[in-house]
Amino acid sequence: KSNLTLNTLSELNIRDYSIVTKGNFSIAVFGILGRDAVELSSASGLTFDDYIDTAKNTVTEIKKLHSPDLIVCLSHGGTGDAVKDEDIELAKEVPDIDVIISGHTHSFLRSPLRVNDTMIASCGEYGEYIGRIILSDNNGKIEFDSYELIPINDTVKPDDDTQIFIESLKGNID
């Protein structure tokens, strides 16, 4: 959450979270900006609520309104840096998050970190890798089967729909 006006947020189609259905499963996805990232962006004039409090409130609302099978947090908090292990702190403080996709510190995790029942994954920096987490249905319960990092190079064919979506965002970002 930031001090942007609600009008601006709705114009950009920004929501607190999204619910995605894959097969029989409901997956809640939300994003946060960690403490260090907020401090580094202070020149923007935006202010942000504490990321732990925001995550707790968002997860509580998600569970109350949707009861998803999986909760995923896209975090710009970071792992792998003793000073900036914000996503490890997040997993400890908000244990109902099932998966944290970690950014900000550019960590390259060849295998996911586990903090209690939360999996933390990170694909490095600058789009050099994309991560893949394989999940399975074990009698109605989602289980983690595997995790891999795939190098982005000439052997990876771009997804046309994703590229079109990226192009549509460039004007707002620029």
Side-chain angles (χ1 to χ4, degrees):
K1 301 205 180 213
S2 74
N3 66 349
L4 286 174
T5 65
L6 191 55
N7 201 20
T8 303
L9 292 174
S10 65
E11 287 172 16
L12 295 174
N13 197 26
I14 295 173
R15 298 171 299 232
D16 290 340
Y17 58 87
S18 292
I19 304 296
V20 178
T21 302
K22 291 291 184 186
N24 296 327
F25 291 101
S26 171
I27 304 165
V29 180
F30 73 100
I32 58 164
L33 191 63
R35 198 174 293 123
D36 186 66
V38 167
E39 290 172 8
L40 292 173
S41 66
S42 62
S44 70
L46 299 175
T47 58
F48 293 85
D49 295 337
D50 178 74
Y51 77 108
I52 298 278
D53 293 338
T54 298
K56 284 180 181 177
N57 293 336
T58 301
V59 168
T60 297
E61 180 178 329
I62 288 169
K63 289 179 71 174
K64 179 180 175 185
L65 297 176
H66 304 283
S67 301
D69 299 298
L70 190 72
I71 298 177
V72 177
C73 176
L74 307 177
S75 173
H76 203 84
T79 55
D81 181 322
V83 178
K84 300 174 191 166
D85 270 340
E86 293 182 20
D87 289 331
I88 291 173
E89 179 184 359
L90 176 64
K92 289 177 182 175
E93 294 292 326
V94 192
D96 287 329
I97 298 172
D98 299 296
V99 178
I100 297 172
I101 305 298
S102 182
H104 182 55
T105 53
H106 301 198
S107 301
F108 180 84
L109 299 175
R110 287 215 177 270
S111 59
L113 298 176
R114 288 282 195 166
V115 177
N116 301 317
D117 291 330
T118 303
M119 172 194 279
I120 302 173
S122 184
C123 299
E125 59 188 358
Y126 306 118
E128 293 176 357
Y129 291 85
I130 189 165
R132 180 185 309 175
I133 299 171
I134 305 295
L135 307 170
S136 64
D137 176 359
N138 183 7
N139 295 320
K141 184 177 187 312
I142 293 179
E143 291 188 351
F144 300 102
D145 286 341
S146 64
Y147 166 89
E148 69 176 311
L149 295 177
I150 302 164
I152 302 299
N153 55 35
D154 294 347
T155 64
V156 177
K157 182 183 178 301
D159 178 78
D160 292 334
D161 291 336
T162 301
Q163 193 60 45
I164 290 168
F165 180 68
I166 290 169
E167 296 299 324
S168 76
L169 297 175
K170 284 185 177 179
N172 284 337
I173 293 169
D174 290 343

